[in-house]
């Protein structure tokens, strides 16, 4: 018998959403905790930041490809037009930043032509950006500014999800969280 429950995102989309969210949070925590460490420890920790960041980039490409082939479930009928528009713009900008932040980070560390080690298992080549100091500076500045912009968007995204779950009490959150029962 066909289920009458509100449809969810696909299992793949849900796993990628929460896995990438976890890795992104870890990358902020790593970058912030590395700041005041002695040089050797800072370099070691930022090695994890770079490898983790390139994993986020790869998983995001897979996720966007998956998303282009599998449409998301429809929004709850109770949502107003502005809420749908705000959610769409926020999601689009989040995808953009999930690509732009790791790419600017990779560009920033590629000036010397050194590859990035992926947790000591294999090496990922530098981007062909050349030793241009000004360009390196732009990547560096953009990386930091975009990471702050993403924090703002994530605050909005999470506030929206919690508003739907706790105040509106609709199915928005259950579409992305399989452990929540649908109302
Ligand atoms: C780094 C953290 C996160 C990122 C980058 C992120 C990103 C995204 C993106 C891009 C979408 C759009 C999915 C699509 O339609 O293709 C989405 C959907 C969603 N996210 Fe997140 N998310 C994060 C954390 C969270 C957290 C912590 C929550 C819950 C508190 C959450 C709840 C949701 C919900 C409920 C949806 C479905 C919304 C809808 O379809 O209208 N996300 N997320
Ligand atoms: C989604 C993935 C990423 C996030 C969220 C992220 C976030 C951040 C944050 C918050 C900082 C600290 C900025 C500050 O001090 O104000 C930082 C610094 C840094 N990131 Fe990333 N990053 C990501 C990916 C990458 C990648 C892929 C690389 C390189 C391959 C990279 C290389 C660096 C470097 C070298 C720094 C230190 C910059 C400095 O010395 O000031 N990041 N990142």
């Amino acid at each position: 018998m066909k289920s009458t429950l509100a449809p969810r995102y696909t299992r793949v989309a849900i796993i990628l959403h929460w896995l990438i969210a976890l890795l992104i949070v870890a990358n902020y925590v790593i970058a912030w905790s590395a700041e005041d460490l002695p040089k050797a420890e800072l370099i070691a920790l930022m090695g994890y930041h770079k490898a983790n960041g390139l994993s986020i980039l790869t998983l995001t490409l897979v996720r966007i490809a998956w998303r282009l082939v599998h449409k998301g479930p429809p929004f709850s009928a109770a949502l107003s037009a502005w809420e749908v528009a705000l959610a769409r713009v926020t999601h689009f900008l989040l995808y953009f930043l999930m690509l732009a932040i790791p790419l600017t980070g990779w560009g920033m560390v590629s000036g010397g032509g050194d590859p990035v080690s992926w947790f000591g298992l294999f090496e990922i080549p530098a981007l062909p950006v050349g030793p241009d100091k000004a360009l390196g500076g732009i990547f560096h500045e953009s990386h930091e500014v975009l990471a702050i912009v993403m924090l703002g968007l994530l605050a909005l995204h999470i506030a929206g999800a919690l508003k739907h779950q706790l105040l509106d009490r609709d199915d928005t959150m259950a579409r992305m969280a399989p452990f929540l029962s649908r109302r």
Side-chain angles (χ1 to χ4, degrees), residues 9 13 17-18 20-25 28 60 63-64 67-68 70-76 79 83-84 87-88 90-96 98 150 154 157-162 164-165 171-177 180:
Y9 279 90
H17 175 270
W18 293 110
I20 293 173
L22 197 75
L23 297 182
I24 289 179
V25 170
Y28 278 100
T60 300
R63 178 166 170 196
I64 291 175
R67 178 66 166 85
L68 291 174
H70 302 81
K71 265 179 70 177
F75 287 100
S76 153
L79 258 62
E83 281 179 304
V84 172
R88 288 226 165 97
T90 308
H91 294 166
F92 179 83
L93 290 176
L94 282 173
Y95 280 129
F96 171 76
M98 287 152 74
M150 192 188 226
L154 284 177
H157 180 66
I158 293 169
L162 294 179
H164 285 287
Q165 182 63 18
D171 272 330
T172 302
M173 186 83 175
R175 293 150 80 242
M176 192 51 105
L180 292 176

Side-chain angles (χ1 to χ4, degrees), residues 20 23-32 35 42 46-47 49-57 60 97-110 116 140 143-148 150-151:
I20 293 173
L23 297 182
I24 289 179
V25 170
N27 240 19
Y28 278 100
V29 173
I30 296 173
W32 291 332
E35 262 171 18
L42 183 145
M46 286 314 281
H49 178 86
K50 294 182 214 170
N52 188 39
L54 290 179
S55 314
I56 294 168
L57 177 62
T60 300
L97 292 171
M98 287 152 74
L99 297 174
I101 295 175
L103 278 173
T104 51
W106 194 5
M108 171 195 352
V109 300
S110 292
V116 176
H140 193 159
H143 191 68
E144 295 187 356
V145 171
L146 294 178
I148 294 170
M150 192 188 226
L151 283 182

